[in-house]
Amino acid sequence: MYSQVIAGTYFTSKDDQTVQVGENMLICIDEQGKIVRIIAHSEPEFQQVRQAAAEQHHLLELAGNERLLPGFVDVHIHAPQWAQAGLALDRSLNDWLNTYTFPLESRFADDQFALKVYASLVQTLLANGTTTALMFGTIYNSSNLILAQQAAKFGLRALIGKVAMDDPTQTPEYYRDESATAALQATQEFIEAMFNLQQQTQTTLLPVITPRFIPSCTNELLHGLGELAKRYDLPIQSHCSESDWEDQYVQDRFGKRDADVLDQFGLLTEQAVMAHGTQLTDEDLSLFRQRQTAVAHCPISNVYFGNAVFPTRKALQAGNQVGLGSDISGGFSPSLYRNMQQAVMSSQMLTDGVNSELATGQRGVPDSRISMKTAFYLATKGGAQALNLPVGAIEVGKQADFQVVKLAPALTTESTDDELERLLYQTESKDISWVMVGGKRVYQNQKGHK
């Protein structure tokens, strides 16, 4: 009747304020890996469906201390930078890029090095409950395709971009596209290669138009990438107003805001995801809403390089689309649990302010705090909506992208709200029992606690 039936209790976001709890439910999955029915214990068919699934060996029953969550959607990862995660976070953004990041990314001309790093990254993401990832590659198509192959091999739902960067004034000679023409040709070749690989592997690989950020790109390249995005109807990823330095650079060069420049070149669309946005103005956020462009909120990375806290609550209340990104390696952790926690902490610091020499009423931005339920939304449904994908929620019609998480023993009586909050604050990779993408189990934890 169904290819798989999962029996247990789940948590899923309904919206950015509300989490739905399904206690003792059956989640029914078809052969295409889609959720086709959710049956409550009180429904007459519950026992019949459960028994039939058990007899056909299609029943996956969660233990009493296990909970089912949607797989996480990470909307901003620099895949090659996994090799330097946790390094040089005391540097300024410009220094960090030129001293550490560009030299590292240039090493991905070596396919063997790329294979080693990307195999590790993909498996680590899955082990941390991430099932969908929007990723920057490098300027090298060969290693970008290795990243795609590793995603297909291990079952990660991956959207990958060939990084385009050609401006000789802001990129090193040893690591940049030779020209705008060369970058556009290589991008088009990567798009076609990804479509071919998608057909060969029958997976969900998708190419993404990827200008690194405005300082790295000439006007000719930005224009051409906007045209390619329109021609192929593809997602776009880049950075926007991510730091004082980058924000000011764009204004000095163009005499207008970062968001306006991206829009000028056709790079703000309903399929675009722009990272960080710590310097976005109300007018910028309004333009994002008009274009239905999403923000990738990267709370750990923003602490180091953002020069401000992204106003998550304000953006959501205004109607902006926001997802959560780890920003490896500006963010040191591949875990969206860790990034959810930081998102809440940063929002509290924005509310309270950080300069104790100012009076309390002048120190912070009132009502900026988000709850852990909101952070959970960003990591799941918010990211899925940013990418226009049917994932990130345990709902009929969505893909069966799940993680099963073990709760630590409760020391007091808990409500389901308490249980969820403790789970989101305390879960580590060792507590994730298994992970499923599109109805296929892609990760099994051999080391978790009993």
Side-chain angles (χ1 to χ4, degrees), residues 119-271:
S120 170
L121 170 64
V122 170
Q123 293 176 85
T124 300
L125 291 173
L126 291 169
N128 281 276
T130 294
T131 53
T132 298
L134 177 62
M135 297 190 280
F136 283 56
T138 64
I139 66 173
Y140 309 116
N141 277 348
S142 179
S143 61
N144 293 333
L145 290 172
I146 289 172
L147 173 59
Q149 290 160 356
Q150 293 304 297
K153 175 181 177 180
F154 293 107
L156 181 70
R157 197 180 295 278
L159 300 87
I160 300 168
K162 175 253 181 287
V163 172
M165 44 189 286
D166 71 323
D167 191 331
T169 68
Q170 294 296 322
T171 55
E173 184 176 1
Y174 64 83
Y175 186 64
R176 66 168 175 256
D177 292 300
E178 291 182 8
S179 65
T181 300
L184 293 169
Q185 180 178 343
T187 297
Q188 189 165 358
E189 290 170 355
F190 177 69
I191 292 168
E192 299 292 347
M194 281 287 282
F195 285 148
N196 290 334
L197 187 60
Q198 183 188 63
Q199 289 185 332
Q200 292 168 15
T201 60
Q202 293 298 298
T203 53
T204 55
L205 298 171
L206 191 65
V208 184
I209 300 298
T210 309
R212 186 177 200 109
F213 62 168
I214 288 175
S216 297
C217 302
T218 61
N219 293 17
E220 181 184 355
L221 178 55
L222 292 169
H223 173 77
L225 292 172
E227 289 293 311
L228 281 177
K230 183 177 180 180
R231 185 189 316 166
Y232 284 95
D233 190 27
L234 285 176
I236 301 164
Q237 61 180 344
S238 192
H239 305 78
C240 184
S241 297
E242 67 169 305
S243 68
D244 288 340
W245 168 77
E246 186 266 350
D247 193 58
Q248 189 59 52
Y249 170 89
V250 175
Q251 291 181 67
D252 291 344
R253 175 173 155 187
F254 288 94
K256 60 174 71 174
R257 301 282 306 159
D258 210 349
D260 293 321
V261 175
L262 290 166
D263 190 47
Q264 168 188 329
F265 290 111
L267 295 167
L268 286 192
T269 72
E270 69 280 359
Q271 295 193 74

Side-chain angles (χ1 to χ4, degrees), residues 34-52:
K34 186 169 68 175
I35 304 170
V36 291
R37 191 174 179 191
I38 298 176
I39 305 174
H41 185 265
S42 59
E43 294 184 49
E45 296 165 273
F46 182 91
Q47 290 299 340
Q48 178 186 347
V49 171
R50 179 189 175 93
Q51 183 176 347

Side-chain angles (χ1 to χ4, degrees), residues 16 73 75 272-277 280 285 288-289 292-299 302 310-325 343 370 374-387:
D16 61 26
V73 181
V75 293
V273 179
M274 296 294 155
H276 306 295
L280 291 173
L285 287 170
F288 270 49
R289 290 194 297 276
Q292 300 178 57
T293 295
V295 177
H297 177 34
C298 305
N302 289 348
F310 177 72
T312 309
R313 184 175 180 183
K314 174 183 175 181
L316 289 171
Q317 287 180 334
N320 286 92
Q321 292 187 39
V322 185
L324 196 66
I370 65 169
T374 299
F376 181 50
Y377 165 83
L378 297 179
T380 55
K381 202 166 192 175
Q385 290 175 347
L387 298 178

Side-chain angles (χ1 to χ4, degrees), residues 412-426:
T412 60
T413 303
E414 292 183 323
S415 67
T416 53
D417 276 3
D418 293 339
E419 183 178 278
L420 174 66
E421 189 157 20
R422 187 163 63 88
L423 184 152
L424 296 179
Y425 271 115
Q426 295 188 342

